């Protein structure tokens, strides 16, 4: 049986120098979709970036895994299997249990 993994496709390269480290404060834009294309969450529509401390604040493991591999200015599209998203629980009324999540992510800034 194949081990599930996050699949990342680069849409736009970043500076290829500045990677986040645990404890850094990040600002990102993201859009999250169900596999059928239904948009379930976005920061872009209101132009309000999501800000959090990587490795400290509570975000899904797949998102953290992706961001550790990104550099400032980079945009990616990712397929996150349930094991790295909302797992068996799903997200009540939004994401059924054991469903993968599709995300488009842009790393705007890192504060060290």
């Amino acid at each position: 049986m194949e081990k599930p993994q996050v699949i990342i496709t680069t849409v736009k390269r970043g500076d290829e120098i500045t990677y986040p480290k645990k404890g850094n404060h990040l600002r990102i834009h993201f859009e999250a979709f169900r596999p059928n294309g239904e948009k379930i969450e976005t920061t872009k529509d209101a132009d309000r970036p999501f800000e959090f401390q990587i490795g400290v604040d509570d975000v899904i493991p797949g998102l953290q895994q992706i961001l550790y591999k990104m550099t400032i200015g980079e945009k990616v599209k990712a397929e996150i299997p349930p094991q790295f998203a909302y797992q068996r629980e799903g997200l009540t009324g939004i994401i059924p249990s054991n469903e993968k999540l599709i995300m488009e992510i842009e790393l705007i800034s890192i504060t060290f």
Side-chain angles (χ1 to χ4, degrees):
M1 183 176 196
E2 191 174 318
K3 187 176 179 181
Q5 60 182 334
V6 175
I7 299 169
I8 304 168
T9 304
T10 301
V11 175
K12 178 185 169 220
R13 293 188 184 279
D15 71 3
E16 298 184 339
I17 297 170
T18 316
Y19 292 88
K21 293 178 178 54
K22 184 177 180 177
N24 291 160
H25 291 266
L26 307 185
R27 291 179 71 229
I28 66 170
H29 267 308
F30 74 87
E31 293 187 294
F33 303 88
R34 293 187 58 208
N36 67 4
E38 176 188 351
K39 187 188 302 185
I40 55 175
E41 190 173 4
T42 181
T43 61
K44 288 184 166 189
D45 291 350
D47 195 27
R48 299 191 79 148
F50 178 55
E51 300 181 27
F52 70 102
Q53 192 173 9
I54 192 165
V56 177
D57 291 336
D58 190 25
V59 298
I60 61 171
L63 180 58
Q64 290 201 56
Q65 183 181 2
I66 293 162
L67 287 165
Y68 279 124
K69 296 176 182 178
M70 292 178 69
T71 60
I72 290 177
E74 188 168 356
K75 292 181 184 179
V76 301
K77 184 172 183 176
E79 292 184 27
I80 304 172
Q83 296 85 338
F84 300 107
Y86 294 100
Q87 304 182 24
R88 290 185 183 162
E89 296 82 29
L91 194 56
T92 306
I94 300 172
I95 301 172
S97 63
N98 291 316
E99 185 169 81
K100 73 178 175 181
L101 186 63
I102 310 299
M103 291 190 78
E104 294 177 6
I105 306 156
E106 176 184 7
L107 179 53
I108 300 168
S109 68
I110 303 171
T111 304
F112 301 96

